[in-house]
Amino acid sequence: MVIRIDYLIYVYMTLCLCMLAYNLFYLGKNKWMQRRTEKQIQNQARRLQRLLLFPEKTAANVDEKIKKDLKNTHHLVVLEGTVDVLEQNPLTVKPLQTWLPTLKPVFAELIDGTMKKSVMERSYFAYLVTRFRLCGQSRNDPIATAMIQLTAQASIYCRENALGALYQCGSIDHIVKAYRVMGRHEIEHSRKLVTDGLLEFHGDREQLAQALWQNWDEFTPHYQVAFIDFIRMVSGNFRETLFPLLSQPELDREVTFAVMRYFRKYPYRPAGTVLRQTVIDWEKQDWEYAAIAAASLESYPEMETVKALLVGVQSDNWYVRDNASDSLLQLTKPLAILEMIRQLKDSYGRDMLRYKALSAGLLQLDEKGELRVAENRMAKSPRGSSNEILSAVIEADSSEEALPALQKWGNAE
């Protein structure tokens, strides 16, 4: 059987025309739906505005009709557009804020039907609950209970919208319960979204942090890291609470790193001792521990810290050297940095410290290419000549041998 080429061309042209007709129909329908929705929003905005401003002159069934139609998702879209329009009118902003809470019984009735709809519609429902501030603080609030259930959904959009509603209601119990639900379902919500969301909590955030800590063992390390990051943003009153975590070798590494970052923002003397030892023992653990500890030590301006950082700057790992150098530049003065560069025997540490000091403008090169303290930094340098400061700097092989002359230099200052 031979198929003529021209017949194939005719079939192909017919399919192309059908696809073109379908696309034109789809675009036309969308355009029509958009105009129809805009017209519905304008009409409903006029009716609701009249109800809000002149309730005595408005038919009693206007409010009823608006709420009755909300069973359809399209009418929820119209309602959102109506609220957007009325919020732009200064005359209707306050009456609208009084009217929106009356939607709560209607939304409570919509819960059962919404839970059977697609995940997109459930996400939109949670968004509207946040948008209209309908989630309550009561333990048995039906909308809050529904939002907690939605946090167990696979869709990140659905979870995030539901959590947004819970953050807004300001109930600590609801927040803790929601994260318990996600933990039981082995859901790992984005750590950044968790931290940022908790910071949007409309309540006492320090009390929320206390509640999360009281239920600490019920959460996985994934959430513990996010919670520590949140605590770091809101309170410095958890030093004694979090310090024991630094000494738990079985603790998840990411949790340990989060605790180190906490003590970078909120210095705590016992934590400084642990951080210094972590940098000194950079060979005994994974390099990340020493690297993060070295960065955190910039908040501990002590002679022992400088000694530990000089051990770190001679590490075999680039990240440890990099962070240790940054912290040294924060803690020591330009003339001392210059002497460290001149007398360090480790070439990697010397080059790193030199590059960092030049990049920061603490040091500069003279006409002969020799390093010297930048002119605008001279006034901030320590007393005494450069030959007398740190003259006994040696290559540090251990904490006991780490630049013993630093002690004399520290006392001189």
Side-chain angles (χ1 to χ4, degrees):
M1 178 180 176
V2 179
I3 300 177
R4 293 177 54 179
I5 299 299
D6 53 341
Y7 288 170
L8 291 176
I9 294 174
Y10 296 149
V11 172
Y12 178 73
M13 291 176 63
T14 303
L15 291 174
C16 289
L17 289 173
C18 290
M19 291 176 63
L20 179 61
Y22 173 78
N23 287 335
L24 290 174
F25 171 77
Y26 184 78
L27 291 173
K29 182 182 177 183
N30 276 355
K31 192 71 174 177
W32 176 78
M33 286 291 295
Q34 184 179 355
R35 290 181 178 178
R36 175 171 171 262
T37 302
E38 290 174 356
K39 187 176 180 180
Q40 288 176 324
I41 290 173
Q42 291 172 1
N43 292 335
Q44 185 165 277
R46 282 195 297 268
R47 293 198 304 271
L48 186 55
Q49 179 176 331
R50 184 176 177 83
L51 173 66
L52 295 175
L53 297 179
F54 310 103
E56 69 282 352
K57 298 181 180 180
T58 308
N61 64 343
V62 172
D63 183 67
E64 245 179 69
K65 189 174 186 311
I66 291 175
K67 295 175 179 177
K68 184 179 179 181
D69 293 338
L70 295 181
K71 294 180 181 179
N72 187 300
T73 303
H74 173 72
H75 286 93
L76 288 173
V77 175
V78 174
L79 177 62
E80 182 191 3
T82 301
V83 172
D84 289 340
V85 171
L86 294 179
E87 283 182 337
Q88 297 174 11
N89 185 347
L91 295 176
T92 56
V93 171
K94 193 171 182 179
L96 181 64
Q97 297 305 317
T98 305
W99 179 80
L100 284 176
T102 66
L103 294 172
K104 186 165 183 174
V106 182
F107 271 69
E109 293 177 4
L110 295 177
I111 291 173
D112 290 338
T114 301
M115 291 300 183
K116 299 174 184 177
K117 294 181 179 180
S118 67
V119 68
M120 184 179 295
E121 290 176 289
R122 279 176 280 172
S123 300
Y124 184 60
F125 179 79
Y127 163 75
L128 290 181
V129 169
T130 307
R131 178 76 174 79
F132 301 151
R133 302 175 181 272
L134 300 179
C135 192
Q137 293 189 1
S138 171
R139 182 181 297 272
N140 298 320
D141 183 80
I143 295 181
T145 302
M147 294 301 103
I148 293 172
Q149 292 175 359
L150 288 177
T151 59
Q153 298 295 311
S155 169
I156 188 173
Y157 302 104
C158 191
R159 293 199 306 270
E160 186 62 15
N161 289 345
L163 285 169
L166 295 172
Y167 297 142
Q168 191 181 76
C169 80
S171 171
I172 293 175
D173 290 339
H174 291 337
I175 300 298
V176 174
K177 189 173 181 180
Y179 281 106
R180 282 176 179 166
V181 169
M182 287 192 285
R184 285 199 300 268
H185 286 81
E186 298 182 350
I187 294 174
E188 291 190 347
H189 198 59
S190 166
R191 285 207 298 252
K192 187 177 188 310
L193 290 178
V194 171
T195 301
D196 292 347
L198 291 171
L199 290 172
E200 296 296 325
F201 178 67
H202 289 200
D204 191 321
R205 293 184 293 181
E206 185 157 350
Q207 285 187 8
L208 174 59
Q210 290 284 0
L212 293 172
W213 176 255
Q214 289 170 5
N215 297 273
W216 194 253
D217 294 334
E218 298 185 38
F219 303 118
T220 62
H222 176 85
Y223 288 111
Q224 289 177 350
V225 173
F227 294 159
I228 293 174
D229 290 342
F230 163 66
I231 293 171
R232 187 176 80 245
M233 300 295 181
V234 301
S235 177
N237 298 326
F238 285 76
R239 293 179 176 89
E240 294 182 5
T241 302
L242 294 177
F243 174 67
L245 297 181
L246 284 179
S247 305
Q248 296 181 10
E250 71 282 359
L251 192 68
D252 184 88
R253 55 190 287 114
E254 293 297 331
V255 178
T256 303
F257 299 156
V259 174
M260 287 182 178
R261 289 190 289 268
Y262 179 88
F263 286 115
R264 179 180 184 177
K265 184 172 183 179
Y266 302 105
Y268 185 51
R269 184 173 292 276
T273 303
V274 176
L275 294 172
R276 284 190 289 269
Q277 195 60 44
T278 302
V279 174
I280 292 171
D281 297 337
W282 59 265
E283 291 180 315
K284 298 181 180 179
Q285 296 185 39
D286 194 339
W287 63 268
E288 287 186 79
Y289 289 91
I292 297 175
S296 301
L297 283 175
E298 71 171 15
S299 302
Y300 296 83
E302 303 171 19
M303 187 56 55
E304 292 302 319
T305 300
V306 177
K307 292 180 181 180
L309 290 173
L310 280 164
V311 175
V313 85
Q314 299 174 80
S315 167
D316 290 345
N317 185 274
W318 186 90
Y319 295 99
V320 178
R321 295 199 305 274
D322 182 66
N323 289 351
S325 298
D326 287 337
S327 294
L328 276 173
L329 295 184
Q330 294 292 325
L331 296 177
T332 55
K333 298 181 181 180
L335 196 52
I337 293 293
L338 179 60
E339 287 303 312
M340 292 177 192
I341 294 172
R342 287 175 176 173
Q343 301 186 47
L344 274 175
K345 296 181 181 180
D346 182 82
S347 60
Y348 292 107
R350 185 171 61 247
D351 291 344
M352 177 66 76
L353 204 53
R354 183 178 186 273
Y355 169 76
K356 291 283 185 176
L358 287 172
S359 300
L362 299 177
L363 304 179
Q364 62 185 25
L365 297 173
D366 59 16
E367 297 79 3
K368 299 181 180 179
E370 297 292 332
L371 277 178
R372 64 183 177 86
V373 177
E375 294 180 1
N376 61 337
R377 303 283 181 169
M378 287 298 293
K380 300 180 181 180
S381 298
R383 297 186 301 273
S385 66
S386 59
N387 291 329
E388 295 172 351
I389 299 175
L390 303 179
S391 59
V393 177
I394 62 170
E395 181 178 4
D397 294 324
S398 67
S399 58
E400 291 78 11
E401 299 174 349
L403 305 179
L406 279 172
Q407 187 63 51
K408 181 180 178 181
W409 166 62
N411 295 334
E413 288 193 281

